[in-house]
Amino acid sequence: RGYITTRKREAATTRLPDGIEDLALVRNFDTGSHTVGLYEDTDGARYIVKTGQSREQFENEIAAENVYRVLGYPVADSKLIQVEGQPAKLAEYIEDGMTLREFREAFRNEPEEIKKVHDQLADGMLVDAFPFNYDSIGVNAQDNVLIRVAEVPTEDGEGSENAYTVYRIDSGGTFDTKAFEEAPRNEPFYYDSMRVMRQNYPYLDIS
């Protein structure tokens, strides 16, 4: 009660374009690790386009997102495209989403609301561990998830409360590729992965 569970599946309805030829660049984001641009089509639909990674990394990222999607964890619809002959990833733009850092700042005086989002994130940690997605939230910047806030009626119908949907938006370092390296990873599954998760995100209750 009080939040939208991450296990609530939403049907994919977005028809993604096959390239950026008919899109207009709105702005670029400074991510530090790769080039990310916000694009818009003639109908006003917006998309995120990521370049500057290997095809293998993009394929792994999309595969990881498919795992989340099948298990009912919100992720943006995405596909592999080419930009100027190089591999790229195009994804649905999550409107009105806040990063975890922005959310924690906006709700800094409402710890019970922050806990609801923390609980959703912790609920997905085992799934994060499966593809070795150690940076699923963003260890430092906390910008690899976006949180949508919606006002919904309370169960008794007498008032309203906030509901939260948490999207994982950057699974670039998954399976046998790391976010900043091309070298294959060789790490044991589950035990060490969960230990890393607890180290990376000590503010989450990962039991």
Side-chain angles (χ1 to χ4, degrees):
R1 181 172 181 264
Y3 64 90
I4 298 174
T5 174
T6 52
R7 294 181 187 273
K8 179 180 175 62
R9 289 193 64 180
E10 298 177 0
T13 58
T14 306
R15 173 67 174 90
L16 299 177
D18 295 322
I20 64 171
E21 292 77 14
D22 297 324
L23 305 180
L25 177 64
V26 177
R27 58 170 292 202
N28 285 316
F29 296 94
D30 182 15
T31 66
S33 58
H34 41 250
T35 302
V36 177
L38 175 63
Y39 288 78
E40 187 174 79
D41 67 16
T42 55
D43 295 324
R46 291 188 166 188
Y47 308 94
I48 292 292
V49 177
K50 183 192 293 187
T51 58
Q53 293 184 171
S54 68
R55 182 181 184 88
E56 181 186 8
Q57 283 182 297
F58 285 128
E59 289 176 341
N60 281 358
E61 183 169 359
I62 291 172
E65 290 171 349
N66 287 336
V67 171
Y68 289 119
R69 189 175 293 110
V70 166
L71 295 175
Y73 292 86
V75 291
D77 292 338
S78 64
K79 68 190 302 184
L80 186 67
I81 63 169
Q82 284 199 333
V83 174
E84 298 180 349
Q86 298 299 314
K89 178 195 164 192
L90 182 144
E92 171 193 16
Y93 178 60
I94 306 299
E95 299 276 0
D96 302 321
M98 288 187 284
T99 68
L100 179 60
R101 175 171 290 178
E102 291 169 341
F103 178 84
R104 291 173 70 171
E105 174 61 23
F107 288 84
R108 62 186 180 278
N109 296 322
E110 301 179 67
E112 69 283 357
E113 299 302 298
I114 293 176
K115 184 179 184 302
K116 292 173 185 177
V117 168
H118 282 183
D119 287 348
Q120 288 197 57
L121 291 168
D123 180 63
M125 283 287 112
L126 181 58
V127 182
D128 293 332
F130 169 65
F132 304 120
N133 192 9
Y134 298 144
D135 202 31
S136 59
I137 296 172
V139 177
N140 297 315
Q142 299 176 354
D143 59 353
N144 286 346
V145 295
L146 287 178
I147 299 141
R148 272 181 170 171
V149 183
E151 188 173 303
V152 298
T154 55
E155 289 183 357
D156 59 14
E158 298 296 323
S160 63
E161 61 186 356
N162 285 336
Y164 307 107
T165 305
V166 178
Y167 291 83
R168 284 162 168 80
I169 62 167
D170 190 346
S171 302
T174 50
F175 296 111
D176 62 343
T177 57
K178 298 182 180 180
F180 301 101
E181 302 174 26
E182 291 295 333
R185 54 194 347 168
N186 180 20
E187 295 156 350
F189 170 63
Y190 188 68
Y191 177 77
D192 280 359
S193 293
M194 295 308 292
R195 176 178 56 79
V196 171
M197 291 301 190
R198 292 187 180 95
Q199 291 173 346
N200 287 353
Y201 310 112
Y203 49 85
L204 298 183
D205 180 13
I206 306 173
S207 55

